[in-house]
Amino acid sequence: MPKMKTKSSAKKRFRVRPGGTVKRGQAFKRHILTKKSTKNKRHLRGTTAVHETNMGHIAQMLPGAGL
């Protein structure tokens, strides 16, 4: 039986927190920023948690994370 591999793209984008939640970066902050308001860009700063409806997909991409 071959080893289970972690998706390389997922290990670059997600970090598992000690409580079992997964941290991710915010989208929509890379380009075309001139048409976005300052308030919108300010709220896109920092990181946020992955929604619980997507945790199954994250668990499949990160098999060794214990999710």
Side-chain angles (χ1 to χ4, degrees):
M1 195 71 190
K3 291 182 181 179
M4 294 186 65
K5 289 191 173 182
T6 299
K7 289 281 185 182
S8 295
S9 59
K11 70 182 174 187
K12 295 170 189 175
R13 289 172 172 83
F14 302 110
R15 293 288 177 265
V16 180
R17 290 176 173 155
T21 59
V22 178
K23 185 170 72 167
R24 68 169 176 87
Q26 284 277 15
F28 307 110
K29 190 71 194 300
R30 298 294 180 204
H31 59 103
I32 316 176
L33 297 173
T34 54
K35 63 178 72 171
K36 296 178 178 122
S37 67
T38 306
K39 179 180 179 181
N40 188 11
K41 291 185 278 191
R42 186 173 62 246
H43 286 298
L44 290 174
R45 282 184 201 151
T47 57
T48 185
V50 172
H51 198 263
E52 59 267 9
T53 56
N54 296 321
M55 287 297 291
H57 298 299
I58 302 295
Q60 285 181 347
M61 290 190 286
L62 301 170
L67 296 174

